[in-house]
Amino acid sequence: MSINCIRTLLENAVETHSDKTAIVYNDKSITYKELFAKVNQVAFYLKELDLPKDSRIGIYSSKSIEQVIAILAILSTDYILVPLTKLLKPEQVEYIINDCGIQCIITDKQQLESIEEINFSGKVISYQTTDNNMASFEEIFKYYNKPYHCNINSYSSAVITYSFGMSGRPKGIVISHRNLIDSARVVSQYLALEQDDVISGTLIFNLDYGLNQIFCTLYKKATLALHLFILPDDFFNHVINDKVTVLPLMPVNISQMFEDSGQRIPSAALFSHVKTITSSGGNVTEKMINDCKNTFSEAKFYSMHGLTEAFRSTYLDPSQVQIRPDSIGKPIADVELYIINEDGKECAVREVGEMIHRGGYIYKGFWNAPNQNALRFKSIDILKDVIKLEGQLTDEIVVATGDYVYKDEEGYFYFVSRHDDMIKTRGFRVSPYEVESVVAKNISQIDQCAVFGIDNELIEEEIIMVYSAASEISEEEIIFELKKHLASYMIPSRVIYKKSLPLVQTDKNKIDKDELKAELARV
């Protein structure tokens, strides 16, 4: 058995902390001993399916203790886990099934109807017993009691995660067992996690940030408190009642917590046990940070920046969050970051270029996507004009992130834009993020804002700004404010008001700019 796999963490936890609570969810809980036994039962059943090594098994269900058992059971076999968030529509699930060849799906009663709509021909396992002779966890827990042993290679593929973005078909990213253990190790280190911690399981488990909460819990032999975020009041009760100490969030969660100005937020004294808040998966605003600081007054706030192709690149130390809230921080342990221009030369201080990720946490690559892999996973030779390469050792792989950033005089990184988002207008490159940030900081009446380019043969692209607010603001007033902070070529040529902006279906933190462009085309 490799020492670099999640299965080893589970075995170590049950050996030293068997009676400790591993997971809580509402009024239910399970100890490490009970968790280990149930994981073994499900893993034993999965192996009896006798699927080929590296077969893909999907989990398509709501959050529950059974969902965590299913995740750990698959990771205790030589199969590959494919998390499928319940936010996906049947046609999206069908796309993923076909793309990576899923042969078995673990689900709950709520999602069975969607699976039947897909007409999936593989094996289906339900958490609950059903009327159609389908295998269930309830039956597995009753009848499968034989000892289970496994031997896992740390460099084998463990997980394929899919993220539906704003355009095109998604590609799955392949993550090894070693990647999972490394990510748990580094996060536990820089967050200073302890075995007495209660880690909130608010994030969904379809991507690495959410899954990492499970693995950090195992790594430190802590407790994971599951929660399904629906209403802010329920969320605050979760934090108080479960005595959460570590609160991993996405920016959209923070917005949801504080979006109702008339809402009564519990006293900060009730949250004194919260010591750590983390945020990743989107841009954190100064207001978000201040709202968290006011409510969770004892907590350190960690802003983090990750990649699709690697677990994480940077984090911003809590001591700097209010000093430089726009920064994505500095590299995490075992990572080197370089910023290069189009000629492959290292950028000067405050010069914008592409960020190159070297070192730890790089994933195996995209599933069946050679063009995507060629675009992102590069030979270290790409840095030949930046670092000294000796001995002709150029087999090392780095990630050309597609993130355009700059670095200040003290070595802090600042995100500017994704390569694909850059607007080319009048011979200049304009970052939508830079314009959107000015709006967020200076026009408080605006709730949400999307900036993008549309083709204009005279100037390449013209800049469009679409916003939502409680009521429409005059375009002249908005342009007047933007001109105080932006160069003339960065000013939108059109400003459009909408009561609400469309969001990407599976990521409510992202505005669906493709839909906005399509709406403009229909006008």
Side-chain angles (χ1 to χ4, degrees):
M1 171 73 75
S2 170
I3 62 171
N4 291 307
C5 63
I6 298 303
R7 174 71 187 191
T8 301
L9 296 187
L10 181 57
E11 291 182 357
N12 291 343
V14 76
E15 184 177 332
T16 60
H17 292 71
S18 62
D19 294 327
K20 182 177 181 181
T21 299
I23 309 172
V24 297
Y25 186 38
N26 297 330
D27 58 347
K28 297 180 180 179
S29 66
I30 188 170
T31 66
Y32 274 103
K33 181 179 180 180
E34 293 166 334
L35 176 64
F36 186 63
K38 291 181 182 297
V39 166
N40 283 347
Q41 288 174 299
V42 176
F44 192 98
Y45 179 83
L46 292 176
K47 287 304 294 178
E48 281 209 336
L49 297 178
D50 201 26
L51 300 173
K53 184 181 184 296
D54 292 330
S55 291
R56 275 70 66 196
I57 298 182
I59 298 179
Y60 184 39
S61 69
S62 299
K63 186 171 291 183
S64 65
I65 292 176
E66 287 76 18
Q67 187 186 42
V68 179
I69 291 170
I71 289 169
L72 296 177
I74 297 172
L75 295 178
S76 296
T77 69
D78 56 10
Y79 302 142
I80 300 174
L81 164 67
V82 184
L84 303 164
T85 170
K86 69 171 189 174
L87 297 175
L88 295 176
K89 297 299 184 185
E91 59 267 26
Q92 295 174 311
V93 175
E94 186 172 17
Y95 169 80
I96 295 175
I97 288 171
N98 294 332
D99 186 65
C100 68
I102 289 176
Q103 296 189 47
C104 174
I105 291 179
I106 300 174
T107 189
D108 54 26
K109 282 186 175 180
Q110 288 80 8
Q111 305 305 321
L112 274 177
E113 188 174 327
S114 294
I115 294 173
E116 290 168 357
E117 184 178 331
I118 295 167
N119 195 26
F120 174 62
S121 60
K123 182 76 174 179
V124 179
I125 304 169
S126 174
Y127 299 146
Q128 304 88 8
T129 302
T130 63
D131 297 329
N132 53 3
N133 297 318
M134 183 181 298
S136 72
F137 276 25
E138 290 177 349
E139 293 168 325
I140 292 169
F141 295 153
K142 189 181 296 184
Y143 298 115
Y144 278 74
N145 296 303
K146 297 178 183 178
Y148 178 74
H149 304 284
C150 59
N151 187 23
I152 294 169
N153 182 329
S154 65
Y155 289 97
S156 293
S157 300
V159 184
I160 303 176
T161 63
Y162 283 80
S163 176
F164 278 79
M166 290 181 285
S167 63
R169 290 295 196 179
K171 293 297 179 186
I173 192 74
V174 183
I175 305 172
S176 73
H177 287 273
R178 176 63 186 261
N179 290 144
L180 299 180
I181 200 82
D182 282 348
S183 63
R185 184 182 291 128
V186 71
V187 170
S188 297
Q189 178 192 58
Y190 71 70
L191 294 184
L193 301 182
E194 301 171 347
Q195 70 177 41
D196 292 335
D197 278 323
V198 177
I199 300 174
S200 172
T202 297
L203 302 175
I204 57 177
F205 299 137
N206 67 311
L207 297 176
D208 52 4
Y209 183 29
L211 288 168
N212 186 250
Q213 313 316 316
I214 302 174
F215 308 145
C216 284
T217 299
L218 293 177
Y219 188 81
K220 298 305 294 188
K221 305 173 182 67
T223 298
L224 179 69
L226 300 179
H227 177 70
L228 183 62
F229 196 122
I230 298 176
L231 298 171
D233 285 348
D234 292 337
F235 172 77
F236 288 130
N237 288 336
H238 152 66
V239 176
I240 295 168
N241 296 336
D242 290 329
K243 296 182 172 56
V244 168
T245 62
V246 181
L247 196 52
L249 299 168
M250 294 183 71
V252 65
N253 303 133
I254 300 173
S255 297
Q256 289 169 334
M257 275 193 278
F258 303 108
E259 65 185 1
D260 184 356
S261 58
Q263 173 184 306
R264 293 189 62 183
I265 298 172
S267 165
L270 295 173
F271 300 114
S272 60
H273 45 79
V274 179
K275 70 173 192 179
T276 303
I277 298 173
T278 68
S279 178
S280 186
N283 303 318
V284 180
T285 66
E286 194 169 358
K287 179 181 184 302
M288 291 177 187
I289 294 169
N290 290 333
D291 284 340
C292 284
K293 285 286 185 181
N294 292 335
T295 302
F296 307 103
S297 56
E298 302 298 316
K300 295 180 178 179
F301 191 104
Y302 290 79
S303 176
M304 307 181 301
H305 183 75
L307 307 173
T308 300
E309 302 85 1
F311 172 67
R312 189 152 297 149
S313 292
T314 67
Y315 79 90
L316 183 62
D317 188 271
S319 65
Q320 300 295 314
V321 165
Q322 291 182 296
I323 297 172
R324 52 185 100 236
D326 295 334
S327 173
I328 60 174
K330 292 184 176 183
I332 68 173
D334 296 331
V335 169
E336 295 175 10
L337 297 177
Y338 300 92
I339 307 173
I340 63 173
N341 60 26
E342 292 180 352
D343 297 323
K345 306 293 185 183
E346 187 166 20
C347 291
V349 169
R350 297 192 178 273
E351 179 186 356
V352 175
E354 183 177 13
M355 184 171 75
I356 308 298
H357 176 118
R358 181 193 186 194
Y361 323 113
I362 294 176
Y363 292 151
K364 296 184 74 172
F366 291 97
W367 180 266
N368 283 341
N371 293 336
Q372 193 97 358
N373 285 325
L375 180 66
R376 292 285 172 244
F377 295 92
K378 302 286 189 180
S379 162
I380 196 170
D381 194 55
I382 195 175
L383 294 173
K384 66 181 184 297
D385 293 331
V386 179
I387 62 177
K388 189 175 182 181
L389 298 176
E390 295 184 309
Q392 297 182 344
L393 297 176
T394 57
D395 287 344
E396 181 183 346
I397 297 298
V398 299
V399 176
T401 65
D403 287 345
Y404 278 71
V405 304
Y406 68 86
K407 188 165 57 172
D408 69 14
E409 292 80 1
E410 296 179 63
Y412 287 92
F413 285 74
Y414 295 79
F415 178 83
V416 176
S417 182
R418 286 291 296 170
H419 173 71
D420 296 340
D421 292 338
M422 296 291 273
I423 302 170
K424 298 177 183 178
T425 182
R426 297 181 173 89
F428 295 96
R429 288 180 179 268
V430 176
S431 161
Y433 174 69
E434 190 168 355
V435 182
E436 291 163 357
S437 296
V438 167
V439 173
K441 284 183 180 180
N442 299 284
I443 311 179
S444 59
Q445 308 98 298
I446 291 179
D447 297 324
Q448 290 182 304
C449 168
V451 174
F452 51 88
I454 61 172
D455 291 341
N456 183 318
E457 60 183 16
L458 297 178
I459 56 173
E460 292 187 274
E461 291 181 287
E462 63 175 302
I463 302 172
I464 307 297
M465 172 182 154
V466 184
Y467 72 95
S468 65
S471 58
E472 187 169 4
I473 307 165
S474 75
E475 181 172 341
E476 292 77 12
E477 182 180 344
I478 291 172
I479 297 297
F480 178 78
E481 185 62 36
L482 293 182
K483 283 182 176 178
K484 295 180 185 177
H485 309 279
L486 296 170
S488 59
Y489 65 84
M490 302 175 74
I491 302 300
S493 60
R494 295 169 64 187
V495 176
I496 300 168
Y497 168 71
K498 288 176 65 70
K499 287 186 177 180
S500 62
L501 302 187
L503 302 178
V504 174
Q505 183 181 319
T506 57
D507 186 349
K508 299 305 181 183
N509 195 47
K510 291 182 180 178
I511 296 168
D512 192 337
K513 293 184 180 181
D514 281 351
E515 176 59 28
L516 291 173
K517 291 178 184 180
E519 288 179 11
L520 282 177
R522 291 193 292 265
V523 174

